[in-house]
Amino acid sequence: FNNSFRALRVINASHDLLYAEFTDCRDDWNFAGEPREAELFDLAADPWQMSNLLSGATAPPADLAARVRELASCHGASCN
């Protein structure tokens, strides 16, 4: 319908990860609830994002989910 998403990329010495959450704006215009779907890709090993590491997982990694929500609600210098 009208999917919205938020994403976070984590790049460090051992990882190049892309985490994304998707929701359907019909039900949640402010993206306040839980995402309808989440994806996690290792971009170093899978640059075309063909293998979702969360396939079959019951929940996304809590640290990534919390960080993407924190960044979605911050403003200005508090985002650093």
Side-chain angles (χ1 to χ4, degrees):
F1 180 76
N2 182 13
N3 289 325
S4 293
F5 71 95
R6 338 183 246 217
L8 175 66
R9 187 164 179 192
V10 179
I11 303 171
N12 60 34
S14 58
H15 294 99
D16 185 358
L17 302 174
L18 174 65
Y19 172 73
E21 297 180 344
F22 301 88
T23 193
D24 187 340
C25 285
R26 269 185 305 206
D27 300 326
D28 188 358
W29 287 99
N30 295 318
F31 210 126
E34 289 300 310
R36 300 259 179 183
E37 183 178 341
E39 296 178 343
L40 178 64
F41 299 100
D42 179 348
L43 297 178
D46 182 17
W48 300 105
Q49 302 172 25
M50 301 299 287
S51 296
N52 180 4
L53 299 175
L54 296 180
S55 269
T58 57
D63 56 334
L64 294 177
R67 183 67 178 145
V68 81
R69 281 175 180 71
E70 178 185 330
L71 289 171
S73 64
C74 70
H75 303 284
S78 70
C79 291
N80 292 333

